[in-house]
Structure formats: C-alpha cells, structure tokens
Amino acid sequence: MIRMSNIQKRYGPDFRALKGISLHIRRGEFVFVTGPSGAGKTTLLKMIYCEQKADEGEILVNGRNLSRLRRGSIPYLRRNIGVVFQDFKLIHSKSVFDNIVFALRVIGTPRGDMKRRAWDVLRRVGLQHKINSYPLCLSGGEQQRVAIARAVVNDPAILIADEPTGNLDAAVADEIMGLLEEIHVRGTTVVVATHNMGIVRRMKKRVIRLEDGRCVSDTNAPDAFELDEGEITLVKPSVG
Amino acid sequence: MIRMSNIQKRYGPDFRALKGISLHIRRGEFVFVTGPSGAGKTTLLKMIYCEQKADEGEILVNGRNLSRLRRGSIPYLRRNIGVVFQDFKLIHSKSVFDNIVFALRVIGTPRGDMKRRAWDVLRRVGLQHKINSYPLCLSGGEQQRVAIARAVVNDPAILIADEPTGNLDAAVADEIMGLLEEIHVRGTTVVVATHNMGIVRRMKKRVIRLEDGRCVSDTNAPDAFELDEGEITLVKPSVG
Amino acid sequence: MLVQNLSYFIEEGFRSLRHNRFMSVVAIVTIGFALMIFGAFLIVYSNVQQITDGWIREVEVTAYLREGISDDAADEIKKRLWENREIASVVYVSREQALQRFTSEHADAAYLLEGLTENPLPASFEIGLSREARNREAVERLVAKLGKLPELEGVQYGEEWTKSLLTFLKILRMLGFILGGLLGVAIIFIIANTVRLTVYARRDELAVMRLIGATNWFIKGPFLTEGLLQGLAGALLSVGLLLGMYHFWLPKLQASAGIFFLQNVPLSFLSVEMLLWIMAAGMLMGFFGSLMSVGRFLRV
Amino acid sequence: MLVQNLSYFIEEGFRSLRHNRFMSVVAIVTIGFALMIFGAFLIVYSNVQQITDGWIREVEVTAYLREGISDDAADEIKKRLWENREIASVVYVSREQALQRFTSEHADAAYLLEGLTENPLPASFEIGLSREARNREAVERLVAKLGKLPELEGVQYGEEWTKSLLTFLKILRMLGFILGGLLGVAIIFIIANTVRLTVYARRDELAVMRLIGATNWFIKGPFLTEGLLQGLAGALLSVGLLLGMYHFWLPKLQASAGIFFLQNVPLSFLSVEMLLWIMAAGMLMGFFGSLMSVGRFLRV
Ligand SMILES: Nc1ncnc2c1ncn2[C@@H]1O[C@H](COP(=O)(O)OP(=O)(O)OP(=O)(O)O)[C@@H](O)[C@H]1O
Ligand SMILES: Nc1ncnc2c1ncn2[C@@H]1O[C@H](COP(=O)(O)OP(=O)(O)OP(=O)(O)O)[C@@H](O)[C@H]1O
Ligand SMILES: [Mg+2]
Ligand SMILES: [Mg+2]
C-alpha cells in the first residue's frame, strides 16, 4: 500500500528532516510511528498524502508513484487517505457538522447520506452534542476528536493519524484507539504517529521508530520498548 | 495567590462549563488540574488570566479581584502570568526568537537583556538550533516547547501550562517537567492542566480533578489515582 | 451532481458572507465606494455631454459665395453640398435676401443703410447639420472640406465663441476620457484587490480544504460566488448611494444658492442601462478578483 | 524606553510589510490606484480651471450711459465706480470716441456710416476687473450692482457667448466640486478599508499579543506604522503612476491626432505642494485606517 525507498527530505539548504527512509506498509496493516520530538514523524506522514515532496527516493501509495503525480491528481489521491493532523486543521469558519460534511462533499456523497454519516461518526467520537458548535468553541480534546471524525468519515483506504491522542485523557484515548482498530479490522491501512508509549504497548502492533530522520527500528514486538523512555510500566488489557 | 469562590461559567444560554468551583492555590504551590476531555480545565485556567470572565463567583489573583478589573488593567495582570496555551498561540509571522523576545518586550526588558534571556530559555527547552525558524516550520513538539519557553522567559509570578506535554515524547516531557519544577522552586506558583497521569503520579503534587465542570477531588495524595483511567500502573522514580 | 455542487457553491457563498460579517461589510463598502466614484463620474460626464450637445446643436455653418456667382450656379453647388452626409439642410440666401434680413433685424439701425448705393452683403448657404455631425470633430471636418471649394469665399460656423467653445469641449472631452479610463482601471484594481484581501484573510482554510482532497475548482466555487456577491452588493450599494445623493443631497446643494446659484440646472441621472452595466461590472470584478486570488493559496 | 518602543514600532512595521509581502503589495497597489484617481482628478480639475481662468481674464464689462448725461456727470460716476473693489480700471468712452472706433474697426463698412446725420452710438465705461473679481460670481455680482445705477442704461459683459460660458463653467465647477468631494470621501473609505482588511487578516496575532500581556497601544504601534507606510508607499506609487502617464503616455495620446487633435494643448502637472498633500493624505488615511481597525480585534 505504502512503499518508500530511500526517501530524503530537505528543509532549506542544510537541514535534512528525513535521511534515507525505506519501508513498506502492506494493505490492511496497522503501524505506529514513534520517536522523539523533531524526529521526522510528521514529515514522513506528509510524504504519504503529498503535502511534502521527497527530494530523493520514491514513494508508491496505492500503486501510484507520488513523485510522478500531476498536481491536478493530488486531490484524488487524498480522497483515499483520511488524515488526522497534529494541529487538527479544522476549518474555523464552519461548524463541527459542516467540517465533517465537507469531507463527504468533497467525494460527492449524496445529500441524504452525508447527514447520516456525519451524525454517525460524531456519535462514535462522543461529540453528538457539539454538532453545531464551531471549532474555536471546543476544548482541545473535542477539536481533536472532530479531526478524527473527519478523517474516518468517508471510509478511506488509508488512515493517517498524527498524534491523535495528545489532547485526550486515557479513557477517551482508548476509545479512539478502539475506533481506529475497528476501522483497521474493516480493511483500512492505519498509520499512527504518537508519543504515547502506553497506547503503543497496549495495541501490540508493528512499530517504526524514527530518530533524527532515520529509521532506527521497525518491529512487531512491543516488548522491545518496555525499558525505554525512563519509565517502567506493567501493562494490563484495557478495562474500559 | 489564586482564590476562586463558587465560580460559574456559561457558554451560551444553556451550557455551563464550570458549575461552582471553589479553590485556593497558595503562593508557590504546584498544582495539577486533571479531568476528562471537556471537563472545563482550560476554561478554569482562562479565568485566571482573564481570557474569560466568570458569570458568577469571585476570583482573586495576586490580591486583585478580577471581576472588578478594568479592561485597561488586564495587560498588567497578564504580565505576571506566563501561559502555555493548549494550542500554543505562537505568532506565526514572527520567528521563534522574536516570539520569545516579544514577551520580554512587552514588559520593557532592556535590549541587551532580551537577547541573552531568549537564548537562555531556548537552550533550556532544547531549541537553540531553531532560533531563526518560523513556528509553522517547526514540529508539533518544537512548537510546544517554544510556547513553554515564551511562558517562562520573563519569570512570571504565576505559570499556567495547559497540556504542556501533549506533543512531547516522555523523555522531553520529563525534562520540561523538570524545568517547571525548577521554576516552582524559585518561587513561582505553577498550575498545570494535563491528561498525562504518568507525569502527575511521578511529580507527587497537589491534584485538582474536574469532571463536567465540577471539582470532584482535590488532594495531595497521588496514590488516590492509581486505579483510575482503566489502567493499572506501577510508578517508579524517573531515571532520566 | 453538478446541480448539487452549484447549489452548494451559492449556499456556501452566502453563508461565508454572513459568517465573516466584518470582512464582508468592509469589502462591500469599499467596492460600493469605488463603483460610486465611477457612477458619479459617469453622471457628471454625461450631463456635461448633454449640456454641450445642446449648444452644438445650435451650431450652424454659413458658407459665403464668391461675388459674381449666379443663382443658377448656386443651385448647382447646393446640390453638391447636399451629397455630404453631414449636411441635413441647405438654405440659399441671395444677396437681396441678406439685405432684407439685415434691415429687418436691425430696424433701429435702419438709417445706417439709408444712404447706400450698393448692396454690400454676399450671398450665402446656411447649412444645417445632420444629427451625427453635431459634434466638434464632424463640424471641423465639414468646415475644412467646404473651405476647399473654389466657389466659396469663406466658411464660418456660428460666432467667434463657438470656436473657443469647441476647442474647450474637445479638451474637456479628452480629459474626461483620460480620467474615465484611469478610473476604470483603478476601480478594477481596487475591487479585485479588495476581494483578494478577503481571500487572503482565509488562506489557511483554503490550504486545509486542499489537504482534505478537495479539487481546486471545488474550493474556488464558493469563493467565486462570494466574490460575485460582494461585487453585486457593492454595486447595489453604489447605486443606492448615488440615487440617495441625487434625490436628497443634490437638491439641497442646489438650493443653497449662496455658493452655486444653479437651482435651475436639471442634472439627469444614469440610465437604467448604465446601472445594469455597473452591476455587471461589480459582479465581474468580484468574480475575477476571487478567481485570480484563490489559486494563489492552493499550492499545497 | 519610549525611544526603544518607537524604534521597535518602526522596525516592526517595516518587517511586517516585508513578511506579509502579498498582502502589502495588494494593499499598496489598491491605495496607489485610489490616490491616483484623486490625483488625476486634481490634474484635470486644475487644468480646466486654468484654461477657463484665461478666458475669464478677458472678460470686460461695458456699462452704457443714458442719453443726455454730460461728460462732467460721467466723471462723477467714474469716481463712484472706482470705489468698487472689483474694479481695477475704468475707461470713459464718449459718443464721439465710440463713433471713431467704429469707423476705424469697420473700415470696409465705412460706407454704412456715410449717410448718417446723427451719431447713434452711446457713451460708455469700459471696466477692467481686479484680479480677485475675475471669476463668474464676482462678475455677476458686479453686473447686478451696476444695473441698479440709474445713470446707466445697460450693462454688458463681453459678448453673448461669455454668458453661456459663465453658466457652463459654473455648472462644470459645481460638478467638479461634487465629484471631487465624493472622490475624497470614497478614497478615504477605500484606503481605510484596505488597511482594515490587512489588519483583519492578522486578527489572530493581535489576540495572541493581548493574551501575552501587551497593552493596546503597544500592539497598535507597529500596525500604525505599517498602515502609515502602506499609505505612504501607495501615495508614492500613485505619484509615480501619474508622473509616468504624464510624461510618457499623455504625449503619445496627444500625438495620436486621429482621435483628439490636441497636440498643442499644454496640460500642467500637479504642483509640488499638491504632491506633498497627497503623500500626507495617504499616510494619514493609512494611519487612521489601522487605528480604527486594530482596536476591534483587541477585545480579548
Ligand atoms: N516546513 C518546514 N520547514 C522547515 N523545517 C521543518 C518544516 N517542517 C518540519 N521541519 C523540521 O523538521 C524536523 C522534523 O519535523 P517533524 O514535524 O517531522 O517532527 P515530528 O517527528 O513530527 O516531531 P513532533 O513529535 O514534535 O511532532 C523538525 O526539526 C522541524 O523543525
Ligand atoms: N468559547 C467557547 N464557547 C462555547 N463553548 C465552549 C467554549 N470553550 C469551551 N467550551 C466548552 O466548554 C467545555 C469545557 O471546555 P474546556 O476547554 O474547558 O475543556 P478542557 O477540560 O480543557 O478539555 P480538554 O482536555 O479537551 O482540553 C467543553 O465542552 C467546550 O465545548
Ligand atoms: Mg509531528
Ligand atoms: Mg483544554
């Protein structure tokens, strides 16, 4: 589904954010991307939905070579990719409902369907009561959940979530991860960048670790991380 | 330092975000505010630096009654309060350095001092190499650290941090908490809203827990939280 | 699908206007004032045109015949004159008729002619101009053409003041053209730029929409309708302002005789056609202002 | 402290102009075109004024005396006339002088007078106007005043065309005033609104600054210098445009004789004083546009 080979990304003349990343994420996989602040996680994700172009190397997404993609085709690529942006990127002048609906409108959903699906997804993230609010009138966590709802509402083939639980308490975060898991089970390829090692450990998925623009580990064994981050934690299955 | 009595806050006619909050935070205290998403943490903090006015009840900050504060005096109140906003609120058209310097300029720091202090604080949050970047060219975690640097640069009497580690990995988060602790030791009153129970437990400070606009607990015993959040965690002192 | 999108564009354009009220009002007022200037200019221009056209209509060309040309020969010339498109009427005034006219027009000075032995007045053609020729250029062209005929001794149009007036009107007309042209260009820029600034204020949203997978035209749609609506609203405002001033302010101004004693000069308003043109112009400029601007922020 | 702030305001104003390049350019172009319109209008207005003033200067008032007033009595009247501020010179033309002049001016028509038994011409005063009175209103006022003197039979100013011209010029002047006034108001709005939109585009930053504890005037400072600079840059642009057109485009336009054969009409440019006024106006409007706007976003 997503294949990168030796991706290099420069910001400015002498700063390299990605220093030769090669990886392969198969259709239907669920992958975490972790690493310290500034490691290049967001940059890596931006490559996938073409917000940034690689300076070197090739990316194939859903069979398309992104470096050869015409600008006009980018929107059609993005329609298959739901993105939860790290800074949410909600449209401030639209209500929560209209934000969600916009993502549906973009793909040409019929009017009747739009309403039903928007309601549905907002109920899933626990925000049905905020449907007519504007993003700036929501708490940080609520905004984040709207961003998540918008990303998943049109059943994308790929779901990218950049730090989707940074503003959520553990209980809601678990619910959200449950939602992602469910979408994953329905066949969506999911890529989640996060710092929340608790979640990473509990989910027991493939983990790609970036450090300073390089891929330092790529493993399916969550046990490998038990001793990092200067904190020892005993994990039990979620009760909620 | 901060005293609230029976604070009520309405958003719109039929939504109450705070339902009678009374609390007292003494000079030099270090307090965590926790609670689920949408509980009213941010709203509570906004009261302190006067971004929102209470509909009922009284707030005294540093001896001043905020409900009687003239609009023209608000800036002078805020100069004693450093705030790390949940959404950072960096000035996008200014470089990292200018963002920090702006906070110093506001209080009339002499030119020479400004430079030194800005450098100093950026080094503390590990961003000296990003000094000339613009906020939109920073990673989420880097932006968050700039926001923290800006809040602490002018040694405020009160430091308010709203989810200051939501975009930081555990290692950097610990460093930041160390920084806050250090500022606290120098005499600053610190109020931190966070979802990160790991940090709350490790810091062993007073914790105020909000739920649905009400203060449901206020305690100095971190053990009381060991069983909440649907996760059992054994806490050891930080190694880093 | 197309219908759904179109109705979305229109709905959304209106919604956005309402949502960004401060900005909309500021933009519409700017556009309104810009178009008002143009409208006011057109009113002034067309009124000056009208007044001077009245005068020009009175201009009559008199062509004096050389001495010794018989009435028959004159008839021949008259026919030739008639062939000019600019000429609507030709009246032959013989020497005798000229003398008669002089004596009857200057009855009180009749004694001046009492002692005359010979008729000093030449024969002439009084030439009326056709509707199309009632302007400065055509008159001058005709006069120049007539001046070349050997049978004619001299061509005179109106009195001396007519010449000065015609020159002056030419200058005035040229200046009007220049001013009008500059105004037009400036107003296109002003309106387009105003719309650009309103788009600029929302550049972030444009980028977000593109990141969500909206095609450029889908993003542009509502902005185009919004630009169009702003232009239309501005045009309506300008027409309202002009009408208001024309009906309420101008009469008062004319009545305050102390400054301008012009109570009796009727100034006409813009024609309905012109008003429709102004609307169309406002809408077009708003539309294209948006069009040029939105693309700029869709480079993500 | 004050000096430090002031230098910060200025530095910051410049920095912001540079940083928000698209917006600055759009705003400056808008302001430039708005002021250009005004400048062009002033040029047209002052040139028309100049041309017509030349004509007015030639206006001479002739007052005819009633029959039977002796030369001595006329001398008395002359002295009284002299007392009018509007009158710069009075020349008495007796009946004999009038006749002499007529015969010499109309030498070819001398035979007209050959048989005369009596001099038909009246005596008159030829009245030259003082500099201040060389305008339409003063002339009409003077004529009205003279008309009331019983010793005078009739007052005539210039020839017939002068009257038409004066009326026309009055209308033109009034229309110019109206247009100029509207232009002025509209341009103030346009410039202020443009600056408002540039502030609006950065409303978020204003709120942030206030949340950090900046006082309102400290936040406003850089925006005010920026508005001022935008206004100044716009004014410079407008002057540049006007000068450019005046020197490069107007000659070409005048040379393309086909349309307007006006090669020889010299049009003067704006005076240096006027140019300075335009600069000042641009700066002021930019400044106040900012001032009115920034406050709106400081309600946090
Ligand atoms: N648009 C940009 N221009 C210049 N530098 C950039 C830009 N975006 C990111 N960077 C830099 O690239 C590096 C990697 O950024 P990235 O956002 O990928 O980090 P990240 O792993 O997502 O970090 P975080 O966990 O803090 O979000 C950072 O040092 C950042 O400053
Ligand atoms: N400006 C506003 N207008 C209307 N409602 C608001 C506004 N700000 C916050 N709210 C509502 O008030 C409630 C409390 O918001 P607040 O931001 O205080 O929550 P929070 O505890 O900070 O949550 P989080 O952890 O998600 O940041 C939320 O339900 C939110 O939707
Ligand atoms: Mg990131
Ligand atoms: Mg919050």
Side-chain angles (χ1 to χ4, degrees):
Chain A
M1 198 69 171
I2 302 168
R3 186 187 287 276
M4 300 191 179
S5 49
N6 199 29
I7 292 295
Q8 305 257 4
K9 176 68 195 173
R10 250 176 232 101
Y11 288 122
D14 37 44
F15 180 74
R16 282 195 298 159
L18 296 180
K19 302 168 179 168
I21 302 277
S22 298
L23 53 81
H24 182 201
I25 297 171
R26 266 169 294 272
R27 188 176 301 275
E29 250 190 305
F30 192 126
V31 182
F32 281 108
V33 180
T34 66
S37 173
K41 302 180 292 297
T42 301
T43 304
L44 185 77
L45 300 184
K46 281 180 179 173
M47 298 283 150
I48 300 172
Y49 58 89
C50 240
E51 187 179 341
Q52 295 285 357
K53 286 235 163 196
D55 292 311
E56 275 170 51
E58 281 209 334
I59 312 179
L60 290 163
V61 173
N62 213 348
R64 292 191 236 202
N65 186 332
L66 298 196
S67 54
R68 298 218 198 99
L69 205 63
R70 284 184 11 260
R71 278 186 49 77
S73 311
I74 293 178
Y76 301 97
L77 169 79
R78 288 182 183 155
R79 289 179 192 184
N80 298 314
I81 307 178
V83 184
V84 183
F85 301 95
Q86 192 168 11
D87 54 353
F88 316 153
K89 292 204 194 298
L90 298 176
I91 299 172
H92 294 326
S93 74
K94 287 186 197 291
S95 69
V96 166
F97 181 74
D98 285 339
N99 263 280
I100 308 281
V101 155
F102 186 79
L104 291 170
R105 232 188 263 282
V106 160
I107 58 166
T109 314
R111 244 165 218 272
D113 254 25
M114 287 198 303
K115 206 157 188 168
R116 197 183 44 71
R117 289 173 70 172
W119 262 101
D120 220 50
V121 74
L122 278 172
R123 205 174 297 120
R124 292 298 309 270
V125 298
L127 282 180
Q128 63 277 28
H129 58 296
K130 292 289 180 187
I131 196 155
N132 288 319
S133 297
Y134 281 84
L136 293 181
C137 291
L138 295 181
S139 81
E142 287 164 351
Q143 288 181 39
Q144 193 155 45
R145 281 180 279 162
V146 175
I148 293 164
R150 183 181 64 184
V152 304
V153 71
N154 55 12
D155 272 326
I158 303 175
L159 178 67
I160 292 175
D162 197 351
E163 202 74 68
T165 58
N167 287 278
L168 298 177
D169 54 295
V172 176
D174 278 348
E175 271 170 43
I176 292 298
M177 291 320 291
L179 175 61
L180 297 191
E181 174 70 35
E182 190 184 303
I183 287 167
H184 162 63
V185 167
R186 287 215 303 265
T188 298
T189 310
V190 181
V191 184
V192 180
T194 187
H195 291 300
N196 193 326
M197 298 315 287
I199 285 176
V200 172
R201 272 180 230 110
R202 248 170 292 141
M203 297 285 288
K204 298 196 201 308
K205 303 286 183 187
R206 174 174 169 197
V207 180
I208 295 170
R209 184 168 171 83
L210 297 184
E211 261 172 40
D212 193 23
R214 287 202 183 78
C215 184
V216 294
S217 79
D218 183 347
T219 170
N220 284 317
D223 318 294
F225 295 96
E226 254 176 40
L227 272 160
D228 75 351
E229 310 294 348
E231 173 188 0
I232 302 168
T233 312
L234 240 167
V235 182
K236 277 202 177 182
S238 170
V239 179
Chain B
M1 198 70 171
I2 303 168
R3 186 186 287 275
M4 301 192 178
S5 48
N6 199 28
I7 291 296
Q8 303 257 6
K9 175 68 193 173
R10 249 176 232 101
Y11 289 122
D14 38 43
F15 180 74
R16 281 195 299 160
L18 296 180
K19 302 169 179 167
I21 301 278
S22 299
L23 53 80
H24 183 199
I25 297 171
R26 266 169 294 273
R27 188 177 300 275
E29 251 190 301
F30 193 127
V31 182
F32 281 108
V33 179
T34 67
S37 174
K41 303 180 292 297
T42 301
T43 304
L44 185 77
L45 299 184
K46 280 180 178 171
M47 299 282 150
I48 300 172
Y49 58 89
C50 240
E51 187 180 340
Q52 296 284 0
K53 287 235 165 198
D55 292 311
E56 276 171 52
E58 280 209 334
I59 312 179
L60 290 163
V61 173
N62 214 347
R64 293 191 236 202
N65 186 332
L66 298 196
S67 55
R68 297 220 197 100
L69 205 61
R70 286 189 3 263
R71 277 186 50 77
S73 311
I74 293 178
Y76 302 97
L77 168 79
R78 288 182 182 156
R79 288 178 193 184
N80 298 315
I81 307 178
V83 184
V84 183
F85 301 95
Q86 193 170 10
D87 54 355
F88 316 153
K89 291 205 195 298
L90 299 177
I91 299 171
H92 295 324
S93 74
K94 285 187 199 289
S95 69
V96 167
F97 180 74
D98 285 340
N99 263 281
I100 308 283
V101 155
F102 186 78
L104 291 170
R105 232 188 265 281
V106 160
I107 59 166
T109 314
R111 242 167 219 271
D113 255 26
M114 286 197 305
K115 206 156 186 167
R116 196 183 48 71
R117 287 174 72 173
W119 262 101
D120 222 49
V121 75
L122 278 172
R123 205 174 298 120
R124 291 298 309 272
V125 298
L127 282 180
Q128 63 277 28
H129 58 297
K130 293 288 179 187
I131 197 155
N132 289 318
S133 298
Y134 281 84
L136 293 181
C137 292
L138 295 180
S139 81
E142 287 164 351
Q143 287 181 39
Q144 192 155 45
R145 283 180 280 162
V146 176
I148 292 164
R150 182 181 64 184
V152 303
V153 70
N154 54 14
D155 273 327
I158 302 174
L159 179 67
I160 291 174
D162 198 352
E163 203 73 67
T165 59
N167 286 277
L168 298 176
D169 53 295
V172 176
D174 278 348
E175 271 170 45
I176 292 298
M177 292 320 291
L179 176 61
L180 297 190
E181 174 69 36
E182 190 184 306
I183 287 167
H184 162 64
V185 168
R186 288 215 303 267
T188 298
T189 310
V190 181
V191 184
V192 181
T194 188
H195 291 300
N196 193 325
M197 296 316 286
I199 285 177
V200 172
R201 274 180 229 110
R202 248 171 293 141
M203 297 285 290
K204 299 197 201 307
K205 303 285 184 189
R206 175 177 169 195
V207 180
I208 296 168
R209 184 168 170 86
L210 297 184
E211 261 171 41
D212 194 23
R214 286 202 184 76
C215 184
V216 294
S217 81
D218 183 348
T219 169
N220 284 316
D223 318 294
F225 295 96
E226 256 176 37
L227 271 161
D228 75 352
E229 309 293 349
E231 172 188 0
I232 302 168
T233 313
L234 239 166
V235 182
K236 277 202 178 183
S238 171
V239 179
Chain C
M1 178 69 185
L2 186 72
V3 173
Q4 184 178 329
N5 281 335
L6 213 65
S7 83
Y8 159 71
F9 291 167
I10 294 167
E11 238 173 63
E12 184 66 15
F14 274 103
R15 197 195 58 76
S16 173
L17 268 187
R18 247 179 299 122
H19 188 85
N20 304 292
R21 206 163 309 133
F22 172 78
M23 200 191 65
S24 306
V25 169
V26 167
I28 289 171
V29 168
T30 310
I31 294 172
F33 273 100
L35 288 173
M36 184 204 70
I37 294 179
F38 200 70
F41 171 80
L42 284 181
I43 292 180
V44 166
Y45 190 77
S46 65
N47 273 291
V48 168
Q49 192 85 5
Q50 223 162 35
I51 294 169
T52 58
D53 271 8
W55 294 351
I56 295 297
R57 214 160 295 139
E58 289 164 18
V59 170
E60 200 169 64
V61 176
T62 312
Y64 294 98
L65 276 88
R66 278 192 198 293
E67 260 187 72
I69 289 184
S70 69
D71 285 6
D72 286 351
D75 237 40
E76 190 60 32
I77 300 168
K78 184 174 168 179
K79 270 181 206 142
R80 268 195 282 149
L81 289 180
W82 204 258
E83 283 160 14
N84 282 293
R85 268 191 307 107
E86 292 98 338
I87 295 176
S89 67
V90 181
V91 175
Y92 177 63
V93 181
S94 69
R95 300 181 65 185
E96 291 73 34
Q97 285 167 329
L99 188 61
Q100 262 174 32
R101 214 189 267 180
F102 184 86
T103 46
S104 68
E105 275 177 16
H106 300 83
D108 51 335
Y111 50 84
L112 280 176
L113 300 170
E114 269 162 19
L116 290 185
T117 51
E118 202 193 339
N119 178 357
L121 304 174
S124 63
F125 292 116
E126 284 177 10
I127 299 172
L129 300 174
S130 64
R131 178 167 288 277
E132 309 87 59
R134 277 175 195 157
N135 63 61
R136 307 112 196 125
E137 285 79 34
V139 171
E140 297 221 328
R141 231 180 299 122
L142 180 65
V143 167
K145 209 194 279 178
L146 295 179
K148 285 187 203 132
L149 293 181
E151 295 89 348
L152 299 181
E153 190 170 42
V155 183
Q156 194 187 318
Y157 55 106
E159 295 162 64
E160 190 57 26
W161 69 270
T162 326
K163 289 187 193 166
S164 298
L165 183 67
L166 287 186
T167 316
F168 177 59
L169 291 184
K170 248 187 294 177
I171 301 176
L172 206 61
R173 196 195 186 193
M174 179 185 91
L175 292 179
F177 256 68
I178 295 181
L179 197 58
L182 290 185
L183 258 175
V185 171
I187 277 157
I188 290 174
F189 266 93
I190 290 172
I191 294 180
N193 277 354
T194 300
V195 174
R196 270 161 191 244
L197 286 180
T198 68
V199 175
Y200 178 76
R202 289 171 291 167
R203 57 200 178 285
D204 294 349
E205 293 187 7
L206 288 171
V208 172
M209 289 178 182
R210 191 152 157 96
L211 286 175
I212 292 171
T215 49
N216 286 2
W217 69 266
F218 191 78
I219 300 174
K220 281 177 185 171
F223 279 87
L224 296 184
T225 36
E226 197 183 336
L228 200 133
L229 287 172
Q230 284 176 341
L232 178 64
L236 287 173
L237 175 65
S238 75
V239 170
L241 282 171
L242 287 171
L243 264 176
M245 286 189 298
Y246 181 74
H247 280 299
F248 300 107
W249 182 63
L250 197 63
K252 270 185 204 151
L253 195 72
Q254 288 183 314
S256 69
I259 317 165
F260 317 96
F261 8 103
L262 279 172
Q263 294 92 317
N264 302 320
V265 179
L267 293 173
S268 63
F269 196 63
L270 293 174
S271 64
V272 174
E273 205 191 7
M274 267 296 171
L275 293 181
L276 291 179
W277 274 112
I278 290 182
M279 308 265 179
M283 282 165 66
L284 274 180
M285 290 177 206
F287 185 85
F288 283 105
S290 237
L291 190 65
M292 287 187 301
S293 189
V294 177
R296 210 176 194 286
F297 303 109
L298 293 179
R299 305 239 172 99
V300 193
Chain D
M1 178 68 186
L2 187 71
V3 173
Q4 185 180 328
N5 280 335
L6 213 64
S7 81
Y8 160 70
F9 291 167
I10 294 169
E11 238 173 62
E12 185 66 14
F14 274 104
R15 196 193 60 74
S16 173
L17 269 187
R18 247 179 299 121
H19 187 83
N20 304 293
R21 208 163 308 131
F22 171 78
M23 199 192 65
S24 305
V25 169
V26 168
I28 289 171
V29 168
T30 311
I31 295 172
F33 273 100
L35 287 173
M36 186 203 68
I37 295 179
F38 200 70
F41 172 79
L42 284 181
I43 292 180
V44 168
Y45 190 76
S46 65
N47 273 291
V48 169
Q49 191 85 6
Q50 223 162 34
I51 294 168
T52 58
D53 271 7
W55 295 351
I56 295 296
R57 214 159 293 136
E58 289 164 18
V59 169
E60 201 169 63
V61 175
T62 311
Y64 294 98
L65 275 88
R66 280 194 195 291
E67 260 185 72
I69 289 187
S70 69
D71 286 6
D72 286 351
D75 237 40
E76 190 62 33
I77 300 169
K78 184 174 169 180
K79 272 183 206 140
R80 269 196 281 149
L81 289 181
W82 206 260
E83 283 160 13
N84 281 294
R85 268 188 310 106
E86 292 97 339
I87 294 176
S89 68
V90 180
V91 175
Y92 175 63
V93 181
S94 69
R95 300 182 65 185
E96 291 74 34
Q97 285 166 329
L99 188 60
Q100 264 172 31
R101 218 191 263 180
F102 185 86
T103 46
S104 67
E105 277 178 12
H106 302 84
D108 54 334
Y111 52 82
L112 279 177
L113 300 169
E114 269 162 19
L116 290 186
T117 51
E118 202 193 341
N119 179 358
L121 303 174
S124 62
F125 291 117
E126 284 176 9
I127 297 173
L129 300 173
S130 64
R131 178 165 289 277
E132 308 86 62
R134 278 176 194 154
N135 63 60
R136 307 109 196 129
E137 285 78 34
V139 172
E140 297 221 327
R141 229 180 299 124
L142 180 65
V143 167
K145 210 194 279 179
L146 294 179
K148 284 187 203 134
L149 291 180
E151 294 90 348
L152 299 181
E153 190 169 40
V155 183
Q156 193 187 318
Y157 54 106
E159 294 161 64
E160 190 56 26
W161 68 269
T162 327
K163 288 187 193 164
S164 298
L165 183 68
L166 287 187
T167 315
F168 177 58
L169 292 184
K170 249 186 295 177
I171 300 176
L172 207 61
R173 197 196 187 193
M174 180 184 90
L175 292 179
F177 256 67
I178 295 181
L179 196 58
L182 290 185
L183 258 175
V185 172
I187 278 157
I188 289 174
F189 266 92
I190 289 172
I191 294 180
N193 277 355
T194 301
V195 174
R196 269 161 193 245
L197 285 180
T198 68
V199 175
Y200 179 76
R202 290 172 290 167
R203 58 202 178 284
D204 294 348
E205 294 187 6
L206 288 171
V208 171
M209 290 178 182
R210 193 154 154 93
L211 286 175
I212 292 171
T215 49
N216 286 1
W217 69 267
F218 190 78
I219 299 174
K220 281 177 185 170
F223 281 86
L224 296 184
T225 36
E226 197 183 336
L228 201 132
L229 287 172
Q230 285 175 341
L232 178 62
L236 286 173
L237 175 65
S238 75
V239 170
L241 282 171
L242 287 172
L243 264 176
M245 287 189 296
Y246 181 75
H247 280 300
F248 299 108
W249 183 61
L250 197 61
K252 272 186 203 148
L253 195 73
Q254 288 183 314
S256 68
I259 318 164
F260 317 98
F261 8 103
L262 278 173
Q263 293 93 319
N264 302 319
V265 180
L267 293 173
S268 64
F269 197 63
L270 292 174
S271 64
V272 173
E273 205 191 6
M274 267 296 172
L275 293 180
L276 292 179
W277 273 112
I278 289 183
M279 310 264 178
M283 283 165 64
L284 274 179
M285 291 177 205
F287 185 85
F288 283 105
S290 237
L291 190 65
M292 288 187 300
S293 188
V294 177
R296 207 174 198 288
F297 304 110
L298 293 179
R299 306 241 173 99
V300 193

